[in-house]
Amino acid sequence: MVVKEVLSIRGLKKSYPGVMALKGVNLAFKAGEIHGLIGENGAGKSTLIKILAGIVKPDDGEVTILGKSVQIRNSKDSSRNRLCFIHQELNLVTYFNAAENIFLGHSYPRRLRFFVDWKRLKAKTKEITDALQVRIPLDTPVSYLSAVDRAMVAIARAFAVSGDIYFMDEPATALTDIEKEKLFRVIKTLKSQGKTVVYVSHNLDDILDITDRITVMRDGTVVECRETLETTKDDLIRSMIGKSLESAFPSREGKAGAVVFKAGDIHNESIDGLSFDVRAGEILGIGGLVGAGRTELLETIFGARGKDSGTFTLNGVPFRPSSPRSAIEQGVVLVPEERRKQGLVLSRSIYENISMMSLGDISNFGFLNHRVIRNRSEEAGEKVRLKCSSYSNHVGTLSGGNQQKVVFAKTVLQEPKLLLLDEPSKGVDVGARFEIYSIIRDLASRGTAVIIVSSDFNEVLGLTDRILFIKEGRMVSLKDNIDMNQEKYLNCCYGRDS
Ligand SMILES: Nc1ncnc2c1ncn2[C@@H]1O[C@H](COP(=O)(O)OP(=O)(O)OP(=O)(O)O)[C@@H](O)[C@H]1O
Ligand SMILES: [Mg+2]
């Protein structure tokens, strides 16, 4: 059987000041295939997708759809060519509700030509969400929805119109395993209908699991394109970063020191009587399923969420953060899950963002020493393998993964007493992920106490010393991370282990 190429790209180029994001990319997608697109942070994946969406204008190159050369000057051109998108940044209008977002840019159903037919809009939205088997509150402004629901809105939007090729730029980073399975089911259905799905992800297990072919990009070029059945994870890592990774996690060393942080019988709307402590040099994982209260626990410690009763102690003295700012001032730092939303000022420079929280340290009698700020920011940036052409560029110009690294670099500069990490490696490429793990270990070995929440249980198993399992805000068990494996871990999450 000859499979037609539905879309091919030849000589695609795009440069930004100081960086050539695409250096002449050649690539082709076939009908009825799930095509993985992978590469390190900053490799050019999103730029390529934004060009096909008509959001970014290329400098040069040709796009051919079903053998015909096409011009994609804007998003209308793109939808006319039946291309659908889930962008990395979701691009939702946060004060619109889910239904409005899903049909945004498409024509809303109308009554008498002028009036939006809200009833039909909602009914049509429900059809789409039912097909996805998800329940999203349809009347609530998107800004009030959880990260998972927001991601599902963006996904549903891609399915609101029918297309031939679906581009999904890291659609699953905010999803739980359950939603991810639903998404994969939809992707497979699209494939069975002869449609093409281009799937971008740093989760190589997912890529190997669902794709038929995989294209690897590096530094704005295509390194290779392989059949998924003929490749391994190690092959992919090698062609992505140019070398193998011996081990995914840094080795654990040293003993935990004195107790740094203590929580005593904490209660609020999400937490129901939690007590535990973390020692200097220790990495404590919080295990549990989505909805167990893990993120809420971190936010409560960070002063972003109030508590009804209970006590915190930091280095032996009562710790009562009235706000995140006061938590930071006392040496407690949170790296939130949604970094773009909570951790960065996109219109400020990279070095300003990195040094933002630690200015107190670097200022000299109230005067900022800009050279020191720059040097220290660059040092921290290098530690996380930040890829940028200049530290004076706005953070908004960085690739998604590199923006995450900025938040991390910022944290590293502070040497916190207690570091709270919510999904520390989401959206970060495999090479940088190892660097981030090493930094966490390194901070711990210098005395920081670390609490980490991650839905990737390999990460929890590979990185932590102890794991506190919680369910519905209550402690299920507290385990030393010895002889743990996936099965035991999941049992503990479900509370099946006493
Ligand atoms: N608006 C912009 N202004 C300047 N540089 C940009 C802009 N958008 C992207 N770049 C640069 O282009 C390069 C490619 O970025 P791109 O977002 O395509 O990477 P990516 O492969 O999607 O990475 P990630 O895995 O982190 O999402 C990066 O060096 C990035 O900093
Ligand atoms: Mg990207």
Side-chain angles (χ1 to χ4, degrees), residues 397-418:
T397 67
L398 291 177
S399 76
N402 279 303
Q403 292 184 4
Q404 314 236 35
K405 292 185 205 167
V406 169
V407 183
F408 214 85
K410 173 165 110 174
T411 314
V412 173
L413 257 190
Q414 301 174 79
E415 300 246 340
K417 293 183 187 123
L418 175 65

Side-chain angles (χ1 to χ4, degrees), residues 330-350:
Q330 296 174 70
V332 175
V333 173
L334 169 73
V335 177
E337 180 178 3
E338 284 190 87
R339 271 148 263 197
R340 269 178 75 89
K341 215 172 112 220
Q342 297 166 6
L344 293 171
V345 186
L346 296 180
S347 57
R348 288 298 192 86
S349 70
I350 298 168

Side-chain angles (χ1 to χ4, degrees), residues 46 88 169-170 400:
S46 299
Q88 193 171 14
D169 197 349
E170 302 203 47

Side-chain angles (χ1 to χ4, degrees), residues 422-451:
D422 200 356
E423 307 286 356
S425 66
K426 282 218 163 145
V428 171
D429 67 54
V430 277
R433 201 169 287 190
F434 183 77
E435 306 294 331
I436 283 181
Y437 295 154
S438 306
I439 291 165
I440 297 172
R441 257 291 149 215
D442 193 43
L443 280 173
S445 71
R446 291 205 304 273
T448 296
V450 183
I451 304 180

